[in-house]
Amino acid sequence: MRALRPHARRPFRRPACQGIRASFSHAVVGRASSPLVPGVVQPVSRDAGAFRGTLSNYRPWRPSLVAGGQERTTASTRSEDLVANDWAGRSMVDTITLNAVGANGLFPQSIIPAALLGLDEEQARDIGDRMESIFKLWCESAGLEGQHFADLQFMGLRSALVHGEMLHIPVMVDPTKEGGFLGLRMQPVHPERLCTPSDKRALHNMRDGVELDRLGRPCALWVAEPAPDLWSGRLGWGALGSDSFRRIPHRLFHRPGAFHCFRRTSEEQYRGEPILSPALKLFRHLADSLEYELIGQIVAASFPLFIKVADGTQGVEDYLGQFQQGPGGQGGQERVYHQSYAPGQVLYGNPGDDVKPLSSDRPGANWTGFVNFVVRAMGASAGIPYEALLKDFSKTNYSSARAALLEAWRVYMLWRQWQARSYCQPIYRMVIEEAYLRGLISLPTSAPGFYEALPLWTASMWIGPGRGYIDPVKEAKANISLIESGLSTYGEILGERGLAVEDVWAARGYEDRLMQRLAPRLAARLDAASFVAGAPPEDDGFPSDDDGDGDTNHDDAEEGDDAATA
């Protein structure tokens, strides 16, 4: 076998075609990796943005600052008129107000974070109880005219629903002369008084009575305050000059200078919108329609009787002459035109009149369904179900009624939390601050100072009226199951009922001690019954033979228990 000889090393030569192939590959890869030119294919036309078909005349427009303020004022006035005179508008406002705030208002429960302030739980609880007691005493005369704080909350939320905003001014009085132990008072003001003076409409930083700073934030409010002897109200508040207004700062350092509260639903919004605005036409037209139908029913129910009298009829000439006297006292010169009908009235027509009996086929067969549909639409505009708006649960079962109340409860909680966040909590902080400065509250020296941790010292949770239950037995069983499974707390469940866990347990402890002292036999019997009912069975991981029959099946025991329960 011949030995293999290594090849001689020869220089590498790139073929001419390979160089062309390499340059072509580089060009192709380069073009494939680069993005295409965007915007070549235009999207299809949108009917929502075109003026054709049924939307050809749909041309929304943005009013100027002055026109926008006038529209907001008109909408607020119309909403106030509807709530004052329309049953549906009043029902919507009262339903939300009563469920969100209630008759007794929202009350605070102090939740001072003890760990963050370096305190133990007992110290934090004692300080919180002291703050709650002071605030409760202040609530008795919170208003400038002596209103309770619950009444101020009710009035403020109602104004926020009717006018879209509430305006309360904090003022300081002398407690030695006005009564009480704190000087803070709240003055409710009608939101219509908040407007731009006539000599400041051209300023770029004025927005319908709200003055803005260089960053676009509200810095002051202009509230009309004309002289009573010079104000007639004919020209409106906007006709007054700045000398008839008071400029109220929006904030005084860390304290609010005015409570101008409204729910912001859009960007760059400085004034509120009434809750009835989206369906205001429905409210007004339904009220007119119901009034016309009612008038038609009244006319048909009056059942007037018409008698046609021919010319020359004997026996009624004298009687007709009493009603057909002309301006000159000559009978038979003027025709009689009846404009109203009294129940059971007998009317005589003029000679030659063609009399037809009155009959009414109103309302129509679909009238009830139409009214229900309109009312549902009005309630949907504010998130209120039909059943909650009209208080009508006659056509619902348990599941549908509970679903309707849950949907309504979300709306109530939205307004409640907004009221607590924007109005109640800042006032609570102002009251506690004044009480601290007057020496009514003392804090541990080892803890941070009051102003160093102001949000922590004044932290609180606001509790309102309870949600209510459709079937209390089912709701109670569900709550017990949630607590036993660890998915809920006593405070959460009692909070839904409008109660504080400390107050409930304190009252239960007092009642237990009272029962032990006054009715010891009843207390012993209840304790024994609760022990038997709540005794947990022993569980070692294996089926037990509690009945001693050698069988781990307890069907017979369960049947005996059921029979005893029955």
Side-chain angles (χ1 to χ4, degrees), residues 270-283:
Y270 302 102
R271 298 295 298 269
E273 178 185 4
I275 194 174
L276 304 181
S277 293
L280 193 140
K281 291 193 299 183
L282 295 179
F283 281 95

Side-chain angles (χ1 to χ4, degrees), residues 130-131 134-135 181-183 255 428-442 450:
R130 177 66 175 172
M131 293 180 177
I134 291 175
F135 186 79
F181 59 99
L182 298 179
R255 293 170 62 92
Y428 175 77
R429 184 171 298 175
M430 296 172 68
V431 171
I432 300 304
E433 179 185 10
E434 184 180 355
Y436 170 76
L437 295 176
R438 293 182 181 272
L440 302 177
I441 298 175
S442 59
F450 181 78

Side-chain angles (χ1 to χ4, degrees), residues 288-323:
D288 292 340
S289 180
L290 291 177
E291 182 180 1
Y292 299 153
E293 289 291 340
L294 183 60
I295 292 175
Q297 291 293 331
I298 293 175
V299 173
S302 63
F303 195 69
L305 180 62
F306 289 88
I307 300 178
K308 181 177 179 181
V309 180
D311 190 13
T313 303
Q314 301 295 328
V316 295
E317 289 83 355
D318 297 336
Y319 180 79
L320 293 176
Q322 300 177 11
F323 300 94

Side-chain angles (χ1 to χ4, degrees), residues 210-228:
V210 180
E211 181 181 346
L212 309 180
D213 60 8
R214 61 183 183 85
L215 297 179
R217 301 171 301 184
C219 63
L221 304 176
W222 289 81
V223 181
E225 192 180 24

